[in-house]
Amino acid sequence: MNMFVIVIEKKRNHMMEMAFQYGFTAKQTVKASQHLDKLLNLVQHSEIWKCFSEEDKNRCESVLVV
């Protein structure tokens, strides 16, 4: 399993724990959500960059779909 997938799942679980404990709009939950968003953006950006730099563009279709 990809290291990024493991980290993303841990961050997502943490965010959900904060949401259930403090509420979905609580400061802690929003902060956890923002951290998860930054991580997802970094991973997506790196995957998209690979799509433009590698020969096989077909594997990138799922990454580029919004």
Side-chain angles (χ1 to χ4, degrees):
M1 186 178 279
N2 188 325
M3 178 186 72
F4 288 122
V5 173
I6 294 168
V7 172
I8 288 169
E9 277 302 306
K10 286 184 179 182
K11 291 286 185 184
R12 188 185 67 76
N13 288 336
H14 175 72
M15 180 192 68
M16 293 305 296
E17 288 173 12
M18 295 292 103
F20 291 131
Q21 185 173 355
Y22 300 109
F24 284 87
T25 58
K27 194 179 231 181
Q28 299 93 326
T29 305
V30 172
K31 188 173 182 179
S33 177
Q34 290 170 339
H35 285 165
L36 178 60
D37 287 344
K38 286 180 184 179
L39 178 60
L40 289 168
N41 288 335
L42 283 170
V43 171
Q44 185 175 18
H45 176 72
S46 68
E47 289 299 314
I48 289 172
W49 184 253
K50 286 179 190 175
C51 292
F52 291 114
S53 63
E54 292 182 5
E55 297 280 331
D56 183 19
K57 306 287 189 227
N58 293 332
R59 73 172 188 80
C60 298
E61 286 180 17
S62 64
V63 175
L64 298 173
V65 172
V66 182

